[in-house]
């Protein structure tokens, strides 16, 4: 195992030994290539550089309490990558190609997988670009799919803590019938300005509302939102919200714990009725929300300085599955080694 100060890792890129690549030329995919090269040779007129034909995924591998290394729900990430590729009219890789590359990258970079007990994990980033050179706006027949990884630290260094969030109606993250429900680069570029503005004001994240009426909750930064009340897990249902695999997992676990689950429109006016609120995603699993400030109405919704009981239960249970501390009843983990 690599000699790394695992406890000091952040969510940053660290060079590892190998990455996996597939090249698509005129609609035909190559065999998988393994390389230690961190760089990509690309034509200056490649479609991804001009027209945003770029997408990515994020998932993690965990070294468990039993010493085994587990990939969490890799097939779900592969399916979502396919959805993104279809939306951008890119060649669509098979699920088997994506899963095989993820497994291979984990195996070949085994010395960079953090030890159990450090709170760190091995983050995998599949990323895909349209590479056809040209000037016209049209689908790319050529593409490059790269899967690489990096060890990342525990999201909450001092333990899971609630964060401050602000609602910003000045900017929309995604429009109805746009690309909000797929994981493409443009969605994240669209969130940078409001995110930076929020950070300058002391907020950890920006809550985005629907682009049509600015009335319903959509996403919380780059993460899905959920609220807890009356023994119910409630999360937004919208065709411009990214279908988070973490959220999908939490909905199942909420049911396992005896909670009701609702996917529906959540008006901002409903925020005062929630007992707990949080954001969920691959990086942190759950980021509890302590308060939400509405920049427009100047109203603050407060949920406390402590992590809610249900949020903590869900967070702990999902982490227990990922680290092999409890039974994987839903067969979410792929044991790599």
């Amino acid at each position: 195992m690599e000699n790394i100060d695992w406890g000091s890792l952040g969510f940053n890129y660290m060079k590892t030994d190998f990455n996996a690549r597939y090249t698509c030329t005129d609609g035909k995919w190559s065999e998988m290539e393994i390389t230690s090269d961190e760089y990509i040779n690309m034509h200056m007129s490649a479609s991804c550089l001009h027209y945003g034909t770029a997408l990515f995924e994020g998932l993690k591998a965990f070294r468990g309490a039993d010493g085994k290394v587990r990939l969490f729900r890799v097939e779900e990430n592969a399916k979502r990558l396919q959805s993104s590729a279809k939306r951008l009219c890119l060649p669509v890789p098979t699920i088997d190609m994506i899963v095989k590359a993820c497994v291979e990258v984990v195996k070949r970079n085994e010395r960079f997988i953090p030890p159990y007990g450090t709170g760190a994990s091995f983050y995998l980033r599949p990323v895909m670009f349209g590479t056809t050179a040209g000037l016209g706006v049209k689908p790319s027949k050529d593409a490059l799919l790269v899967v690489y990884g990096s060890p990342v630290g525990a999201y909450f260094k001092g333990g899971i803590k609630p964060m401050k969030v602000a609602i910003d109606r000045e900017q929309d993250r995604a429009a109805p019938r746009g690309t909000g429900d797929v994981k493409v680069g443009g969605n994240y570029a669209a969130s940078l300005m409001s995110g930076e503005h929020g950070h300058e004001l002391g907020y950890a994240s920006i809550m985005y509302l629907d682009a049509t009426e600015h009335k319903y909750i959509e996403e919380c930064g780059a993460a899905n939102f959920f609220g807890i009340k009356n023994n119910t897990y409630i999360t937004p249902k919208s065709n411009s919200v990214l279908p988070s695999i973490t959220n999908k997992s939490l909905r199942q676990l909420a049911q396992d714990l005896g909670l009701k689950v609702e996917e529906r429109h959540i008006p901002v006016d409903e925020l005062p009725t929630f007992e707990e609120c949080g954001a969920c995603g691959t990086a942190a699993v759950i980021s509890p929300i302590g308060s939400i400030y509405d920049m427009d109405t100047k109203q603050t919704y407060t949920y406390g300085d402590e992590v809610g009981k249900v949020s903590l239960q869900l967070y702990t249970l999902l982490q227990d599955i990922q680290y092999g501390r409890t039974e994987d009843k839903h067969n979410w983990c792929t044991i790599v080694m």
Side-chain angles (χ1 to χ4, degrees), residues 155-175:
Y155 194 86
F156 297 103
K157 296 292 185 189
I160 184 170
K161 296 175 183 174
M163 63 177 178
K164 291 169 63 180
V165 170
I167 298 171
D168 186 359
R169 289 176 170 82
E170 293 300 309
Q171 190 174 353
D172 298 321
R173 187 196 67 89

Side-chain angles (χ1 to χ4, degrees), residues 53-67:
T53 55
L55 58 98
F56 70 98
E57 277 297 324
L59 65 156
K60 287 180 177 179
F62 303 84
R63 195 182 296 277
D66 55 2

Side-chain angles (χ1 to χ4, degrees), residues 281-300:
T282 299
V285 180
I286 288 176
S287 298
I289 295 173
S291 67
I292 301 171
Y293 173 67
D294 191 324
M295 293 186 187
D296 191 46
T297 66
K298 312 301 182 191
Q299 188 168 356
T300 300

Side-chain angles (χ1 to χ4, degrees), residues 28 32 49 61 66 73 84 87 102 130-131 156 174 188 190 197 212 219 235 248 284-285 288 322:
K28 185 177 180 182
M32 182 170 63
L49 302 177
D66 55 2
R73 304 202 77 170
S84 300
R87 182 66 64 86
C102 289
T131 56
F156 297 103
Y188 297 83
H197 179 56
T212 306
E219 287 207 297
T235 194
K248 184 176 183 179
V285 180
Q322 291 171 332

Side-chain angles (χ1 to χ4, degrees), residues 17-259:
D17 291 333
F18 298 102
N19 63 82
R21 303 183 182 192
Y22 294 98
T23 303
C24 186
T25 305
D26 202 21
K28 185 177 180 182
W29 286 101
S30 70
E31 293 297 312
M32 182 170 63
E33 175 196 358
I34 302 297
T35 177
S36 57
D37 190 359
E38 297 175 278
Y39 293 91
I40 294 166
N41 186 21
M42 188 179 292
H43 196 284
M44 63 184 177
S45 200
S47 68
C48 62
L49 302 177
H50 301 262
Y51 305 121
T53 55
L55 58 98
F56 70 98
E57 277 297 324
L59 65 156
K60 287 180 177 179
F62 303 84
R63 195 182 296 277
D66 55 2
K68 294 178 180 177
V69 176
R70 293 168 171 81
L71 260 176
F72 185 69
R73 304 202 77 170
V74 59
E75 293 87 358
E76 291 296 320
N77 285 95
K79 290 174 189 173
R80 196 169 64 181
L81 189 150
Q82 286 185 322
S83 296
S84 300
K86 288 173 186 173
R87 182 66 64 86
L88 297 185
C89 295
L90 287 170
V92 181
T94 66
I95 288 176
D96 185 62
M97 284 169 59
I98 302 163
V99 172
K100 184 179 174 184
C102 289
V103 168
E104 197 65 26
V105 168
V106 171
K107 285 181 176 178
R108 288 181 181 253
N109 293 294
E110 195 271 340
R111 69 192 184 101
F112 290 97
I113 299 172
Y116 175 72
T118 59
S121 56
F122 189 75
Y123 181 84
L124 283 159
R125 173 57 64 88
V127 60
M128 185 171 156
F129 317 93
T131 56
T132 298
L135 292 176
V137 182
K138 57 186 177 182
S140 180
K141 294 180 181 178
D142 311 303
L144 177 65
L145 170 61
V146 180
V147 178
Y148 67 93
S150 176
V152 295
Y155 194 86
F156 297 103
K157 296 292 185 189
I160 184 170
K161 296 175 183 174
M163 63 177 178
K164 291 169 63 180
V165 170
I167 298 171
D168 186 359
R169 289 176 170 82
E170 293 300 309
Q171 190 174 353
D172 298 321
R173 187 196 67 89
R177 296 184 293 277
T179 59
D181 63 333
V182 287
K183 203 167 177 70
V184 301
N187 294 345
Y188 297 83
S191 71
L192 290 174
M193 183 180 287
S194 56
E196 283 302 292
H197 179 56
H199 292 158
E200 288 166 6
L201 296 175
Y203 297 98
S205 189
I206 290 295
M207 181 173 286
Y208 296 99
L209 306 183
D210 72 288
T212 306
E213 299 180 80
H214 294 121
K215 176 175 163 178
Y216 299 102
I217 297 166
E218 289 259 302
E219 287 207 297
C220 193
N224 277 194
F225 171 83
F226 69 89
I228 306 289
K229 67 175 180 179
N230 303 327
N231 201 45
T232 306
Y233 180 101
I234 305 165
T235 194
K237 187 173 181 63
S238 165
N239 62 6
S240 52
V241 169
L242 183 73
S244 161
I245 294 160
T246 304
N247 195 348
K248 184 176 183 179
S249 305
L250 292 173
R251 294 198 301 271
Q252 179 60 63
L253 295 180
Q255 289 180 316
D256 293 350
L257 292 172
L259 278 74

